[in-house]
Amino acid sequence: MEILILPTAAHAERLAARIVADRLKAKPDLVLGCATGRTMEGIYTELVRISKAEKLDYSAAHTFNLDEYVGLHPADPRSYHHYMEEKLFAHVNLPRDQTHLPNGVATDLTAEAASYERRIKAAGGIDLQLLGLGNTGHIGFNEPLSSLMSRTREKALTPQTREQNAGMFGGDATKVPPRALTMGVGTILEAKEVIMVVTGASKAQVLATATEGPITSMISATALQLHPRCHVLTDEAAAEKLTGREHYRWTFHNEPDWAQYQDLLA
Ligand code: GLP
């Protein structure tokens, strides 16, 4: 795992979008794992800007989202299908049949989960997976005690997560669906590269626990410590509680992999 500390959330978002754009240029049939949530909004805005400015071609790319609420129709404005359409799909030339999200209104959710895993495999696996970090330490909707080997399945959401995501539901946590279909921790760990973006002071403690704490199913993000190519992009506010923050700051400025991205700080 490599942690990169950028001065602000905007810098972290710009770096994440730049990496996605670069990976797509290098591999036009990129299989991109998409995340949702507030942290991702700035990343998609910047990615759309870059895509238009540099005429990025998504015609051979595929996307797979981490999760979807059970019971929400894709057209529901509170669904992650709708979020993706609004934030990314509507603005780039990505054929809709190459975009994939779990279907939260499937009649057989177990069969839907198995079919989602098969579709990921058939696409050749995920090349680059974007992740946010939930307040409970979840990635996707892998709530505490999710098996670190879990695959796509239905999962019950904790009260804390429903509270965190209430914004899309008029601020009322009881309106947030209690269950979701989510890629498993094992599914996420199979992505060839992972970028987790964590910003803001409210995430400082959970980020420190997820990255510097012991691996535990209580915090599914700790499983990323086992991933051979995982970059964590953070801002100064979220980095506040990281013991090694001085070194992580050094990393972005000095490691050769990041030399080409220094102009993002200008
Ligand atoms: C939801 C999603 C997660 C996401 C998390 C963080 O729970 N299922 O994939 O990482 O939100 O959200 P935010 O970026 O809004 O803090």
Side-chain angles (χ1 to χ4, degrees):
M1 180 182 272
E2 189 172 46
I3 302 181
L4 305 174
I5 304 180
L6 286 297
T8 68
H11 289 101
E13 291 160 6
R14 256 185 267 155
L15 178 58
R18 189 73 254 172
I19 296 170
V20 175
D22 286 354
R23 299 292 183 265
L24 179 65
K25 282 182 183 172
K27 186 175 186 288
D29 60 348
L30 186 79
V31 181
L32 177 66
C34 292
T36 50
R38 282 177 293 271
T39 313
M40 292 298 136
E41 289 181 17
I43 297 173
Y44 293 131
T45 304
E46 176 63 5
L47 183 58
V48 168
R49 190 196 65 74
I50 297 175
S51 301
K52 289 186 172 150
E54 300 177 18
K55 299 195 176 25
L56 294 189
D57 182 14
Y58 290 76
S59 62
H62 282 258
T63 61
F64 284 91
N65 266 76
L66 286 167
D67 43 25
E68 180 59 286
Y69 292 109
V70 168
L72 291 195
H73 190 274
D76 189 309
R78 302 161 305 176
S79 72
Y80 286 156
H81 275 82
H82 188 273
Y83 173 109
M84 288 309 299
E85 183 62 34
E86 191 179 78
K87 311 275 187 264
L88 180 66
F89 301 160
H91 311 286
V92 296
N93 69 329
L94 187 55
R96 289 302 181 282
D97 62 350
Q98 289 165 211
T99 66
H100 310 267
L101 288 95
N103 178 9
V105 289
T107 42
D108 183 342
L109 293 170
T110 308
E112 169 62 13
S115 131
Y116 203 62
E117 289 279 336
R118 280 196 301 273
R119 278 187 274 160
I120 294 172
K121 275 207 177 67
I126 292 168
D127 292 307
L128 173 62
Q129 177 67 57
L130 291 173
L131 293 177
L133 178 63
N135 292 345
T136 61
H138 70 210
I139 47 177
F141 270 134
N142 291 288
E143 296 286 46
L145 292 183
S146 285
S147 158
L148 301 186
M149 295 175 76
S150 51
R151 312 303 306 189
T152 303
R153 72 220 181 287
E154 192 185 352
K155 195 76 197 154
L157 304 182
T158 61
Q160 197 184 348
T161 292
R162 293 174 76 202
E163 197 60 58
Q164 182 186 356
N165 291 358
M168 285 296 289
F169 297 83
D172 183 353
T174 67
K175 298 238 164 63
V176 179
R179 307 182 76 81
L181 273 179
T182 180
M183 278 187 204
V185 181
T187 319
I188 293 168
L189 288 180
E190 280 173 15
K192 294 169 191 105
E193 181 178 14
V194 173
I195 294 179
M196 180 165 76
V197 185
V198 187
T199 55
S202 68
K203 297 269 177 81
Q205 185 55 58
V206 70
L207 176 65
T209 308
T211 56
E212 295 182 332
I215 297 175
T216 166
S217 64
M218 281 299 287
I219 306 279
S220 63
T222 59
L224 296 171
Q225 296 172 28
L226 296 167
H227 195 282
R229 201 171 175 215
C230 174
H231 319 291
V232 178
L233 275 42
T234 186
D235 62 353
E236 288 289 349
E240 182 71 15
K241 293 196 157 65
L242 294 171
T243 309
R245 61 185 185 281
E246 214 170 295
H247 175 63
Y248 312 145
R249 250 183 232 121
W250 180 93
T251 302
F252 180 65
H253 293 287
N254 294 281
E255 284 290 20
D257 278 356
W258 306 108
Q260 60 178 305
Y261 298 104
Q262 297 305 311
D263 60 340
L264 287 175
L265 297 180

